[in-house]
Amino acid sequence: ELPYRPVLTQTPPLEGLTTASTFVLDQPRCIFRGYDNADIWLVVALDKAASTFNNTAGPGTPETAFQDFPDPVHAYMTLNATLANYPCPKPAGDITVLRVGSETSCAQDAARPTCNGPLPGPGPYRVKFLALEGSEPVAETAWSAPIMLRTAKSPSSISTTDSGHSAGMIAITTILSILFAILLAGLVAMLVFWGSDSCGGSSTFSKPESVTVRRYNTHHVYDQPAARL
């Protein structure tokens, strides 16, 4: 066993050190010197099953297949590499981290038992690196400390009284209330204006009384012979 314990990377600035299905480890640089012919595997195990992991279980076998993790398989092997992938010292500009759980395309593919698929729950998990020459284990690191992933909050557990959210909601509600009041006042004013305008322009017409013109005949005119001509 080599005097090295895998750890979550401390390389800043790195977003998503742990998510609901992934976590990020430092690469084992300068750890497996002298094992040039070995394949270096990452073993991911349930915390409770780390102590009973069988080092002779080969990668890609039903005993270590990702697709059956975490039950009945309690530990799987993934992210195989050679010593050339972990050069020492680290060249400038190299990315020296491993994101565990980042492959989604092979998560259900039984033909890819060493898939680096999303982790099925929050854990806790433990990991270690194992060097195999053929099927024979030749070196391994210590197990990591327990690693817990993030858990999504259920909608019922989200507080609706948070000070930041309540202040914003109060401001929005106040603005909407003011705008609604202005709109309502405008509508009332328009209705009043239209009502008063129609009342002021209306007129009441009454039927004029009929005027009777009496016809008078001047009798003395008809009595004169000259007027009849």
Side-chain angles (χ1 to χ4, degrees), residues 41 58-69 73 75-79 106-117:
W41 292 85
T61 63
E63 191 176 352
T64 60
F66 168 80
Q67 286 75 20
D68 290 328
F69 182 80
V73 171
Y76 66 95
M77 299 173 68
T78 187
L79 290 176
C106 58
Q108 304 298 325
D109 185 359
R112 294 276 309 279
T114 60
C115 175
N116 179 30

Short mmCIF file of all heavy atoms in Angstrom, two decimals, residues 41 58-69 73 75-79 106-117:
data_model
loop_
_atom_site.label_atom_id
_atom_site.label_comp_id
_atom_site.label_asym_id
_atom_site.label_seq_id
_atom_site.Cartn_x
_atom_site.Cartn_y
_atom_site.Cartn_z
N TRP A 41 -6.26 1.98 -12.00
CA TRP A 41 -7.71 2.05 -11.96
C TRP A 41 -8.17 2.84 -10.73
O TRP A 41 -7.50 2.83 -9.69
CB TRP A 41 -8.33 0.65 -11.89
CG TRP A 41 -8.13 -0.16 -13.14
CD1 TRP A 41 -7.05 -0.91 -13.47
CD2 TRP A 41 -9.05 -0.26 -14.23
NE1 TRP A 41 -7.22 -1.50 -14.70
CE2 TRP A 41 -8.45 -1.12 -15.19
CE3 TRP A 41 -10.31 0.25 -14.49
CZ2 TRP A 41 -9.07 -1.46 -16.38
CZ3 TRP A 41 -10.94 -0.07 -15.68
CH2 TRP A 41 -10.33 -0.92 -16.62
N GLY A 58 -11.35 -8.54 -11.02
CA GLY A 58 -10.88 -7.85 -12.21
C GLY A 58 -11.83 -6.76 -12.67
O GLY A 58 -13.05 -6.85 -12.50
N PRO A 59 -11.32 -5.70 -13.30
CA PRO A 59 -12.18 -4.66 -13.86
C PRO A 59 -12.99 -5.20 -15.03
O PRO A 59 -12.53 -6.08 -15.77
CB PRO A 59 -11.18 -3.60 -14.32
CG PRO A 59 -9.89 -4.33 -14.53
CD PRO A 59 -9.89 -5.44 -13.52
N GLY A 60 -14.20 -4.72 -15.18
CA GLY A 60 -15.05 -5.15 -16.28
C GLY A 60 -15.74 -6.47 -16.05
O GLY A 60 -16.35 -7.02 -16.98
N THR A 61 -15.67 -7.01 -14.86
CA THR A 61 -16.34 -8.27 -14.55
C THR A 61 -17.68 -7.99 -13.87
O THR A 61 -17.91 -6.87 -13.38
CB THR A 61 -15.47 -9.13 -13.61
OG1 THR A 61 -15.29 -8.42 -12.37
CG2 THR A 61 -14.10 -9.39 -14.24
N PRO A 62 -18.58 -8.96 -13.84
CA PRO A 62 -19.86 -8.73 -13.15
C PRO A 62 -19.69 -8.32 -11.69
O PRO A 62 -20.55 -7.62 -11.14
CB PRO A 62 -20.55 -10.10 -13.26
CG PRO A 62 -19.97 -10.71 -14.49
CD PRO A 62 -18.54 -10.28 -14.52
N GLU A 63 -18.57 -8.70 -11.09
CA GLU A 63 -18.33 -8.36 -9.69
C GLU A 63 -18.01 -6.88 -9.48
O GLU A 63 -18.17 -6.35 -8.38
CB GLU A 63 -17.18 -9.21 -9.14
CG GLU A 63 -17.01 -9.16 -7.63
CD GLU A 63 -15.92 -10.08 -7.15
OE1 GLU A 63 -15.41 -10.88 -7.98
OE2 GLU A 63 -15.58 -10.02 -5.96
N THR A 64 -17.57 -6.20 -10.55
CA THR A 64 -17.17 -4.79 -10.43
C THR A 64 -17.84 -3.91 -11.49
O THR A 64 -17.33 -2.84 -11.81
CB THR A 64 -15.64 -4.66 -10.55
OG1 THR A 64 -15.23 -5.16 -11.83
CG2 THR A 64 -14.93 -5.41 -9.44
N ALA A 65 -18.97 -4.33 -12.04
CA ALA A 65 -19.62 -3.58 -13.12
C ALA A 65 -20.38 -2.38 -12.57
O ALA A 65 -21.13 -2.50 -11.59
CB ALA A 65 -20.57 -4.49 -13.89
N PHE A 66 -20.20 -1.24 -13.22
CA PHE A 66 -20.87 -0.02 -12.77
C PHE A 66 -22.40 -0.16 -12.82
O PHE A 66 -23.10 0.36 -11.95
CB PHE A 66 -20.45 1.17 -13.65
CG PHE A 66 -21.31 2.39 -13.43
CD1 PHE A 66 -21.09 3.21 -12.33
CD2 PHE A 66 -22.36 2.69 -14.29
CE1 PHE A 66 -21.91 4.31 -12.10
CE2 PHE A 66 -23.18 3.79 -14.07
CZ PHE A 66 -22.94 4.61 -12.98
N GLN A 67 -22.92 -0.83 -13.85
CA GLN A 67 -24.37 -0.89 -14.05
C GLN A 67 -25.09 -1.58 -12.90
O GLN A 67 -26.30 -1.40 -12.74
CB GLN A 67 -24.69 -1.59 -15.37
CG GLN A 67 -24.41 -0.77 -16.62
CD GLN A 67 -22.93 -0.66 -16.94
OE1 GLN A 67 -22.13 -1.48 -16.48
NE2 GLN A 67 -22.57 0.34 -17.73
N ASP A 68 -24.40 -2.37 -12.09
CA ASP A 68 -25.02 -3.05 -10.94
C ASP A 68 -24.69 -2.38 -9.61
O ASP A 68 -24.95 -2.94 -8.55
CB ASP A 68 -24.59 -4.52 -10.90
CG ASP A 68 -25.20 -5.32 -12.05
OD1 ASP A 68 -26.32 -5.00 -12.46
OD2 ASP A 68 -24.53 -6.26 -12.53
N PHE A 69 -24.08 -1.21 -9.68
CA PHE A 69 -23.75 -0.46 -8.47
C PHE A 69 -24.95 0.41 -8.07
O PHE A 69 -25.59 0.99 -8.93
CB PHE A 69 -22.53 0.42 -8.75
CG PHE A 69 -22.05 1.22 -7.58
CD1 PHE A 69 -21.26 0.64 -6.60
CD2 PHE A 69 -22.38 2.57 -7.46
CE1 PHE A 69 -20.81 1.38 -5.52
CE2 PHE A 69 -21.93 3.31 -6.38
CZ PHE A 69 -21.13 2.71 -5.41
N VAL A 73 -23.62 -4.89 -6.64
CA VAL A 73 -22.21 -4.53 -6.64
C VAL A 73 -22.00 -3.35 -5.69
O VAL A 73 -22.68 -2.32 -5.81
CB VAL A 73 -21.74 -4.16 -8.07
CG1 VAL A 73 -20.33 -3.57 -8.04
CG2 VAL A 73 -21.79 -5.39 -8.97
N ALA A 75 -18.82 -1.99 -5.11
CA ALA A 75 -17.63 -1.25 -5.53
C ALA A 75 -17.38 -1.53 -7.00
O ALA A 75 -17.47 -2.68 -7.44
CB ALA A 75 -16.42 -1.63 -4.69
N TYR A 76 -17.09 -0.50 -7.77
CA TYR A 76 -16.81 -0.69 -9.20
C TYR A 76 -15.47 -0.05 -9.54
O TYR A 76 -14.93 0.77 -8.78
CB TYR A 76 -17.93 -0.14 -10.07
CG TYR A 76 -18.10 1.37 -10.02
CD1 TYR A 76 -17.50 2.19 -10.98
CD2 TYR A 76 -18.87 1.98 -9.04
CE1 TYR A 76 -17.66 3.57 -10.94
CE2 TYR A 76 -19.04 3.34 -8.99
CZ TYR A 76 -18.42 4.14 -9.94
OH TYR A 76 -18.58 5.51 -9.88
N MET A 77 -14.94 -0.40 -10.72
CA MET A 77 -13.64 0.09 -11.15
C MET A 77 -13.80 0.86 -12.46
O MET A 77 -14.50 0.42 -13.38
CB MET A 77 -12.67 -1.09 -11.33
CG MET A 77 -12.44 -1.87 -10.04
SD MET A 77 -11.46 -3.38 -10.25
CE MET A 77 -9.86 -2.69 -10.64
N THR A 78 -13.14 2.01 -12.54
CA THR A 78 -13.33 2.89 -13.69
C THR A 78 -12.07 3.75 -13.89
O THR A 78 -11.12 3.69 -13.11
CB THR A 78 -14.57 3.77 -13.50
OG1 THR A 78 -14.84 4.50 -14.70
CG2 THR A 78 -14.40 4.73 -12.34
N LEU A 79 -12.10 4.57 -14.95
CA LEU A 79 -11.06 5.57 -15.24
C LEU A 79 -9.66 4.94 -15.26
O LEU A 79 -8.73 5.41 -14.61
CB LEU A 79 -11.10 6.70 -14.22
CG LEU A 79 -12.31 7.64 -14.30
CD1 LEU A 79 -12.30 8.65 -13.17
CD2 LEU A 79 -12.34 8.36 -15.64
N CYS A 106 -23.01 5.87 -21.16
CA CYS A 106 -22.79 4.44 -20.95
C CYS A 106 -23.39 3.94 -19.65
O CYS A 106 -23.17 2.79 -19.26
CB CYS A 106 -21.30 4.13 -20.97
SG CYS A 106 -20.33 5.06 -19.74
N ALA A 107 -24.15 4.78 -18.98
CA ALA A 107 -24.64 4.42 -17.64
C ALA A 107 -25.51 3.16 -17.66
O ALA A 107 -25.49 2.38 -16.71
CB ALA A 107 -25.43 5.59 -17.04
N GLN A 108 -26.25 2.94 -18.76
CA GLN A 108 -27.11 1.77 -18.86
C GLN A 108 -26.59 0.75 -19.86
O GLN A 108 -27.30 -0.20 -20.19
CB GLN A 108 -28.53 2.20 -19.28
CG GLN A 108 -29.18 3.24 -18.36
CD GLN A 108 -29.36 2.70 -16.96
OE1 GLN A 108 -29.62 1.51 -16.77
NE2 GLN A 108 -29.23 3.57 -15.96
N ASP A 109 -25.37 0.94 -20.33
CA ASP A 109 -24.80 0.08 -21.36
C ASP A 109 -23.99 -1.04 -20.70
O ASP A 109 -22.87 -0.83 -20.23
CB ASP A 109 -23.90 0.91 -22.30
CG ASP A 109 -23.38 0.10 -23.47
OD1 ASP A 109 -23.69 -1.11 -23.56
OD2 ASP A 109 -22.64 0.68 -24.31
N ALA A 110 -24.56 -2.25 -20.68
CA ALA A 110 -23.88 -3.38 -20.04
C ALA A 110 -22.59 -3.75 -20.74
O ALA A 110 -21.72 -4.42 -20.15
CB ALA A 110 -24.82 -4.58 -20.00
N ALA A 111 -22.42 -3.30 -21.98
CA ALA A 111 -21.18 -3.58 -22.70
C ALA A 111 -20.04 -2.67 -22.23
O ALA A 111 -18.89 -2.86 -22.64
CB ALA A 111 -21.39 -3.39 -24.20
N ARG A 112 -20.35 -1.69 -21.36
CA ARG A 112 -19.33 -0.78 -20.82
C ARG A 112 -19.31 -0.90 -19.29
O ARG A 112 -19.71 0.03 -18.58
CB ARG A 112 -19.63 0.65 -21.23
CG ARG A 112 -19.52 0.96 -22.72
CD ARG A 112 -18.09 1.26 -23.13
NE ARG A 112 -17.48 2.26 -22.28
CZ ARG A 112 -17.68 3.58 -22.43
NH1 ARG A 112 -18.48 4.04 -23.37
NH2 ARG A 112 -17.05 4.43 -21.63
N PRO A 113 -18.90 -2.03 -18.74
CA PRO A 113 -18.95 -2.21 -17.28
C PRO A 113 -18.00 -1.31 -16.51
O PRO A 113 -18.15 -1.17 -15.29
CB PRO A 113 -18.58 -3.69 -17.10
CG PRO A 113 -17.77 -4.03 -18.31
CD PRO A 113 -18.35 -3.22 -19.42
N THR A 114 -17.03 -0.69 -17.20
CA THR A 114 -16.11 0.22 -16.51
C THR A 114 -16.52 1.68 -16.72
O THR A 114 -15.70 2.60 -16.58
CB THR A 114 -14.67 0.01 -16.99
OG1 THR A 114 -14.60 0.26 -18.40
CG2 THR A 114 -14.19 -1.41 -16.70
N CYS A 115 -17.77 1.90 -17.04
CA CYS A 115 -18.29 3.25 -17.30
C CYS A 115 -18.06 4.16 -16.09
O CYS A 115 -18.26 3.75 -14.94
CB CYS A 115 -19.78 3.16 -17.62
SG CYS A 115 -20.60 4.76 -17.84
N ASN A 116 -17.69 5.38 -16.37
CA ASN A 116 -17.56 6.40 -15.32
C ASN A 116 -18.89 7.13 -15.20
O ASN A 116 -19.00 8.33 -15.45
CB ASN A 116 -16.41 7.36 -15.66
CG ASN A 116 -16.23 8.44 -14.62
OD1 ASN A 116 -16.51 8.25 -13.43
ND2 ASN A 116 -15.79 9.61 -15.06
N GLY A 117 -19.91 6.38 -14.83
CA GLY A 117 -21.27 6.90 -14.85
C GLY A 117 -21.63 7.71 -13.62
O GLY A 117 -20.91 7.72 -12.62
#
